[in-house]
Amino acid sequence: MARRIMHIDLDAFFVSVEQRENPELKGKPVVVGGRPQGRGVVASASYEARAFGLHAGMPLSTASHLCPQAIFIEGSFPKYRQASQRFMTILADFSPFLEPLGLDEAYLDATGFESIYGSVHQMAVKLKQRIKDEVGLSASVGIASGKVVAKVASELSKPDGLLEVATGQERSFLAPLPIAKLPGVGRKTGQKLNALGITTIGELSLMPLAALKSHFGASGEVLHRFASGIDDREVESPAPAKSISRETTFSQDTKDRSFLKATIRYLGERVGADLRQKGKRARAITLKLRYADFTTITRSQTLTQALDSDQTIFDTGLKLLNKALSQEKRPVRLIGIGVSNLVESGKQLALLDSSARRQEQLNRAIDRIRKKYGFTAIQTGRTLLLKDIFPETGEGYKLQTPSLSR
Ligand code: TTP
Ligand code: MG
């Protein structure tokens, strides 16, 4: 079956987020990047500003010269990151075969989704609508049999566009376009091709492969395939986490061993729950310590078998902690624990000895209860200690959670 690959890209992303928050900016030439007097460059320009020749990467001084009436905004990255996450979450609702690229674009493999949405085109219409309703931004979508053509199509359809290239039409779709529109053709390659008398993608596709290879080496072959609209690359979802960890910075540096132990227990239980939820076991455990003077050390231990129990994480973490602190005089500022060298859980249970198996069953029972009633529904002896140390939190260590980083 022919593949249907979507490329989705938000329109004038940074600017659109600003316009969403301040409707007065809508329909006007707007630039995000900094003050026109500054030495920065344009990060994002509204389509109204582009009509004056403004584009990303242009020095702000040039931009204000070309379009003095433009509104210049410094921008704030956390806002864009949040919008990006909401955008990606919507895409993930449509297909698990998702490859995010940067903040505002992604490939999505929609092969076979006709049966759900009537057509992939319809699916793209729904997707665009949800992005508009839920994130307040407009996206452009290209659909084709491969990534390259899908990307060129979304770009060509901007803003707020939707363009599908039928299977078999890839080459004729690309042929009239200038070579700069082809992903992979940067400024240098473009200049080199122009010098060879090549200006359109069609001309590029007709260049003999041997000639392309002699000019561009191995990438000559890629250029040839892309220019012909051939691109078999898969949509690659990001690799799953290779490690899981939790750490916390204390509001006051400490030398209190019991407190450090309790914190390790708590962080270890969090890591363990995460590990089991992901269906993984770990072969290595790492302790991280940062001392008051900001010196940071990590100490790791490899396990004889891959395990996922809280007890193993705690025991190993504690051993590493005792070793690290045996000669140590400096107070501790941050403590963290992590697991790595992860393997799929599989059905290994039967291979474990009886005490390890009991641990497994206990952890799973605790996970179930916590899933139902919250993480703090069950506290082990050690984590209960944290309650005495932070009595003001009332709920024991719960209020520590926001300071956890992963
Ligand atoms: P793009 O998708 O390249 O640009 P855009 O979303 O502003 O406009 P378009 O409608 O053509 O897609 O990049 C996404 C965001 O990344 C952009 O809003 C700002 C940021 N960016 C920079 O900070 N510097 C740059 O040079 C580019 C190209 C983008
Ligand atoms: Mg964009």
Side-chain angles (χ1 to χ4, degrees), residues 374-388:
F375 194 85
T376 49
I378 293 187
Q379 302 190 5
T380 58
R382 293 235 173 259
T383 52
L384 271 171
L385 239 177
L386 292 174
K387 207 179 214 168
D388 303 331

Side-chain angles (χ1 to χ4, degrees), residues 202-384:
E203 288 162 358
L204 177 59
S205 75
L206 293 174
M207 239 182 114
L209 183 57
L212 271 173
K213 273 183 165 169
S214 80
H215 286 288
F216 300 101
S219 52
E221 202 173 323
V222 179
L223 278 178
H224 184 75
R225 267 189 284 127
F226 284 6
S228 313
I230 301 164
D231 181 7
D232 299 328
R233 290 173 305 159
E234 297 284 343
V235 171
E236 286 178 43
S237 305
K242 291 200 175 70
S243 65
I244 298 170
S245 66
R246 295 275 175 138
E247 59 183 48
T248 188
T249 302
F250 301 123
S251 44
Q252 249 180 350
D253 300 342
T254 182
K255 282 184 173 181
D256 183 335
R257 289 284 182 101
S258 318
F259 177 55
L260 290 170
K261 264 191 210 171
T263 309
I264 288 255
R265 177 79 212 188
Y266 167 64
L267 296 174
E269 286 178 10
R270 285 265 159 169
V271 168
D274 224 9
L275 191 62
R276 293 186 292 276
Q277 199 254 326
K278 290 193 162 76
K280 307 270 188 198
R281 288 169 202 274
R283 282 190 198 281
I285 293 176
T286 302
L287 173 83
K288 177 174 167 184
L289 287 175
R290 180 167 297 145
Y291 297 112
D293 63 357
F294 278 86
T295 318
T296 307
I297 62 152
T298 57
R299 296 286 179 265
S300 296
Q301 165 105 37
T302 310
L303 306 172
T304 47
Q305 56 180 339
L307 289 168
D308 68 1
S309 77
D310 293 344
Q311 198 60 40
T312 310
I313 297 171
F314 175 61
D315 289 345
T316 315
L318 192 57
K319 212 161 75 187
L320 293 168
L321 178 74
N322 286 335
K323 221 151 93 186
L325 293 185
S326 64
Q327 307 283 329
E328 190 51 62
K329 299 239 159 22
R330 290 170 292 185
V332 174
R333 174 182 167 79
L334 169 154
I335 194 163
I337 189 150
V339 292
S340 58
N341 223 327
L342 306 186
V343 295
E344 293 293 331
S345 271
K347 292 195 173 65
Q348 205 196 13
L349 214 58
L351 297 176
L352 300 172
D353 61 37
S354 64
S355 89
R357 197 161 18 182
R358 253 206 319 278
Q359 283 290 341
E360 295 252 347
Q361 282 157 354
L362 177 64
N363 281 147
R364 278 176 178 68
I366 291 176
D367 287 344
R368 277 196 297 276
I369 295 168
R370 282 180 167 163
K371 200 168 169 195
K372 210 162 164 188
Y373 302 106
F375 194 85
T376 49
I378 293 187
Q379 302 190 5
T380 58
R382 293 235 173 259
T383 52
L384 271 171

Side-chain angles (χ1 to χ4, degrees), residues 26-271:
K26 282 188 182 154
K28 293 185 182 155
V30 177
V31 167
V32 171
R35 287 178 225 280
Q37 302 81 8
R39 291 190 303 156
V41 295
V42 173
S44 179
S46 69
Y47 280 77
E48 291 78 9
R50 290 183 209 193
F52 291 85
L54 273 54
H55 58 78
M58 176 182 272
L60 291 170
S61 51
T62 315
S64 73
H65 183 72
L66 286 176
C67 183
Q69 68 271 48
I71 301 161
F72 291 85
I73 297 169
E74 217 150 327
S76 92
F77 198 72
K79 241 175 5 196
Y80 309 142
R81 195 173 39 218
Q82 195 202 25
S84 168
Q85 278 166 357
R86 286 165 61 198
F87 162 63
M88 294 294 177
T89 308
I90 292 175
L91 299 188
D93 269 356
F94 279 82
S95 167
F97 311 110
L98 181 68
E99 179 180 339
L101 306 161
L103 286 175
D104 86 326
E105 60 177 312
Y107 288 112
L108 186 152
D109 192 337
T111 311
F113 281 69
E114 309 81 334
S115 53
I116 305 174
Y117 297 97
S119 67
V120 174
H121 188 277
Q122 266 310 309
M123 177 177 173
V125 170
K126 284 224 166 69
L127 199 150
K128 276 164 60 78
Q129 193 58 50
R130 268 197 66 188
I131 297 168
K132 206 161 276 175
D133 294 344
E134 294 170 34
V135 199
L137 299 174
S138 80
S140 295
V141 179
I143 309 169
S145 59
K147 285 179 172 180
V148 150
V149 178
K151 188 171 166 91
V152 175
S154 75
E155 162 92 34
L156 212 67
S157 76
K158 276 177 172 293
D160 203 8
L162 170 49
L163 181 56
E164 178 162 12
V165 179
T167 305
Q169 301 298 309
E170 296 84 357
R171 179 190 280 269
S172 56
F173 165 73
L174 294 177
L177 302 174
I179 45 171
K181 292 269 180 223
L182 192 68
V185 176
R187 210 160 54 97
K188 257 191 169 162
T189 307
Q191 284 169 351
K192 233 166 147 180
L193 285 168
N194 282 333
L196 291 166
I198 306 287
T199 58
T200 67
I201 300 179
E203 288 162 358
L204 177 59
S205 75
L206 293 174
M207 239 182 114
L209 183 57
L212 271 173
K213 273 183 165 169
S214 80
H215 286 288
F216 300 101
S219 52
E221 202 173 323
V222 179
L223 278 178
H224 184 75
R225 267 189 284 127
F226 284 6
S228 313
I230 301 164
D231 181 7
D232 299 328
R233 290 173 305 159
E234 297 284 343
V235 171
E236 286 178 43
S237 305
K242 291 200 175 70
S243 65
I244 298 170
S245 66
R246 295 275 175 138
E247 59 183 48
T248 188
T249 302
F250 301 123
S251 44
Q252 249 180 350
D253 300 342
T254 182
K255 282 184 173 181
D256 183 335
R257 289 284 182 101
S258 318
F259 177 55
L260 290 170
K261 264 191 210 171
T263 309
I264 288 255
R265 177 79 212 188
Y266 167 64
L267 296 174
E269 286 178 10
R270 285 265 159 169
V271 168

